[in-house]
Amino acid sequence: MSQLSVHTACVHAGTMTDEKTKGVNTPIYTSTSFEYLDIEEAVYPRYFNVPNTEALNRKISILEHGEAGLVFSSGMAAISSTILAFLNKGDHAIFQKGLYGGTFVLVTRELEKYGIEYDITPDNDIPFFENLIKPNTRMIYIETPSNPLLSIVDIARISEFAKSRKLISVIDNTFASPINQNPIDLGIDIVLHSATKYLGGHSDICAGAAVSAEEYIKKIRKTALSLGGSLNAQTCYLLERSIKTLALRVERQNQNAQKIAEHLNGHTEIQHVYYPGLINHPGHNIAEKQMSGFGGMVSFELLHTDPVKFQKKLKLIRPSVSLGGVDTIICSSVMTSHRHLSKEEREREGIRDNLLRLSVGIENVKDIIEDMEQAF
Ligand code: PLP
């Protein structure tokens, strides 16, 4: 069969057929102990090679157009395992400005302990990355659209630049999901996800994923075995089931988010809207080139209303952490994902106190807009 279209891949890719019952779904293999005689490698959950992990590894790698995949117990497990797999003592890495808060904390508080050097770009145009190159630079790490300001980096240009300098290029593709953006097609080496978000999609799973060439996934797995961030079989199954509806959910979230962003843009209660689908977004043209949909995340700054009071007045939209689920939720980055950053670090990252981030769900968009209107 030729390459499966994305809707079909979401449903079928990776499914492990139970030959005995011929059930249509991958069965859940609950064992954590497997016989080891006469096989090449022992099977064990933390070795990332139990059947449910392998089914999901395949599904996610097909969706992200990579040779191989690896699922983790969280997005941060995927991110930390990947960074530590490729960077040795004395190496240097360049990270973009505007990283997810957890990644920022990992980079700025942990890497030094391992003797790994890093720089964070002052802005995200290519020359800012070029200026930071050192003889010991090994990796470029980007996140586009970024969390929470939805800034856009030109993926093809970053990949080209990384290749020309023999650097490993890594992207956190969580905000876009594989439905809106496939960075491997644009030359990126390693794609990472917090599968807790769109891949899981129902705010009931914590997981992560990495997709890349076979050789790179082998290297990540070697480090990951020691770090121990594997995912249990039950959650692997839940995630596999969730991904069956990923394309449908994300398409609806794209449509809803575009409508909400347009409604808020120029609204008398709003100071600024951040959404790459708006033509006044500085990264709109690049986003249009590299994304097939602009995603379900919309951030905005309130002009008059206090952000806490605004969130308390909402009836349908819940003020809660995380993102990517079927329910529309809202959160203040200052109070959640970026709370571990100092005020100066937040200011440098452009995260203001009146910033709110909306993760748009699949509801009827009229109800979401009405809820926000009554809260203004
Ligand atoms: N990357 C992004 C863009 C995120 O938003 C998050 C979590 O919010 C993570 C990574 C970390 O994922 P997890 O919470 O699954 O470890």
Side-chain angles (χ1 to χ4, degrees):
M1 241 176 124
S2 60
Q3 198 181 4
L4 295 177
S5 72
V6 68
H7 291 85
T8 313
C10 280
V11 178
H12 293 285
T15 307
M16 188 178 283
T17 306
D18 175 10
E19 286 306 327
K20 195 168 170 203
T21 64
K22 306 278 186 202
V24 295
N25 293 317
T26 303
I28 302 175
Y29 293 85
T30 56
S31 296
T32 56
S33 177
F34 295 82
E35 287 189 14
Y36 70 92
L37 296 176
D38 302 324
I39 54 171
E40 213 173 282
E41 185 191 54
V43 177
Y44 183 60
R46 188 174 46 75
Y47 297 170
F48 292 78
N49 59 0
V50 290
N52 288 98
T53 308
E54 290 197 327
L56 195 48
N57 287 346
R58 262 199 313 282
K59 193 174 196 75
I60 292 178
S61 69
I62 289 168
L63 286 175
E64 272 298 10
H65 305 177
E67 281 175 14
L70 206 57
V71 289
F72 292 84
S73 55
S74 70
M76 286 314 300
I79 293 168
S80 55
S81 300
T82 300
I83 290 175
L84 294 177
F86 287 94
L87 297 178
N88 295 313
K89 190 174 169 186
D91 287 346
H92 172 254
I94 303 173
F95 293 87
Q96 78 159 63
K97 177 187 178 181
L99 294 173
Y100 160 64
T103 312
F104 183 88
V105 171
L106 169 75
V107 171
T108 57
R109 315 287 197 264
E110 300 293 333
L111 292 192
E112 260 178 18
K113 294 182 196 167
Y114 297 86
I116 298 167
E117 296 172 26
Y118 68 87
D119 273 300
I120 297 177
T121 59
D123 216 322
N124 290 331
D125 290 336
I126 307 293
F128 292 104
F129 288 87
E130 286 172 344
N131 285 342
L132 293 171
I133 289 279
K134 291 179 170 184
N136 57 340
T137 307
R138 300 280 173 263
M139 177 185 281
I140 290 197
Y141 184 108
I142 59 171
E143 186 187 315
T144 178
S146 70
N147 181 3
L149 293 177
L150 290 308
S151 76
I152 301 292
V153 179
D154 190 324
I155 301 173
R157 288 192 62 198
I158 286 286
S159 323
E160 206 179 280
F161 170 63
K163 279 194 174 53
S164 74
R165 302 297 182 102
K166 297 195 167 35
L167 310 176
I168 291 165
S169 53
V170 182
I171 186 171
D172 182 334
N173 202 32
T174 299
F175 263 39
S177 90
I179 306 305
N180 288 329
Q181 186 167 275
N182 294 118
I184 287 176
D185 294 346
L186 301 168
I188 285 283
D189 292 320
I190 303 169
V191 176
L192 301 176
H193 279 281
S194 166
T196 315
K197 320 299 182 205
Y198 288 99
L199 295 170
H202 298 74
S203 309
D204 58 2
I205 290 173
C206 184
V211 176
S212 186
E214 191 92 47
E215 167 199 357
Y216 284 177
I217 290 295
K218 264 193 191 155
K219 200 168 158 73
I220 297 171
R221 179 173 170 246
K222 210 167 157 199
T223 300
L225 289 184
S226 302
L227 295 178
S230 55
L231 191 64
N232 67 73
Q234 284 84 353
T235 313
C236 281
Y237 176 73
L238 254 191
L239 184 52
E240 191 183 330
R241 191 183 68 168
S242 293
I243 294 174
K244 288 177 191 266
T245 57
L246 176 69
L248 292 179
R249 286 187 275 111
V250 169
E251 281 163 5
R252 172 65 170 231
Q253 284 163 317
N254 288 343
Q255 289 163 11
N256 280 357
Q258 182 74 37
K259 285 183 188 147
I260 291 169
E262 284 169 8
H263 181 82
L264 297 178
N265 200 24
H267 195 289
T268 50
E269 294 295 329
I270 300 289
Q271 191 172 344
H272 193 79
V273 183
Y274 300 86
Y275 186 67
L278 292 176
I279 47 174
N280 60 356
H281 184 287
H284 176 72
N285 290 341
I286 299 170
E288 201 165 36
K289 192 178 68 170
Q290 65 194 21
M291 302 181 80
S292 50
F294 296 110
M297 301 302 298
V298 181
S299 292
F300 56 90
E301 284 155 358
L302 289 168
L303 193 57
H304 303 116
T305 324
D306 171 78
V308 174
K309 279 190 189 147
F310 176 74
Q311 290 176 81
K312 284 191 172 165
K313 274 191 161 175
L314 291 165
K315 293 184 174 144
L316 194 65
I317 305 168
R318 305 273 289 274
S320 54
V321 298
S322 201
L323 61 105
V326 290
D327 310 53
T328 299
I329 58 172
I330 194 162
C331 86
S332 147
S333 304
V334 173
M335 295 167 74
T336 60
S337 60
H338 290 67
R339 74 185 178 286
H340 297 302
L341 275 65
S342 65
K343 198 161 173 52
E344 295 75 55
E345 283 174 330
R346 281 205 300 267
E347 266 163 24
R348 222 178 306 131
E349 295 286 311
I351 315 278
R352 302 197 180 87
D353 291 352
N354 61 346
L355 179 77
L356 290 173
R357 192 196 70 186
L358 198 65
S359 169
V360 179
I362 63 168
E363 304 94 333
N364 186 320
V365 71
K366 275 198 214 132
D367 297 329
I368 304 301
I369 291 175
E370 214 174 283
D371 194 23
M372 292 175 81
E373 280 301 329
Q374 64 78 30
F376 280 135

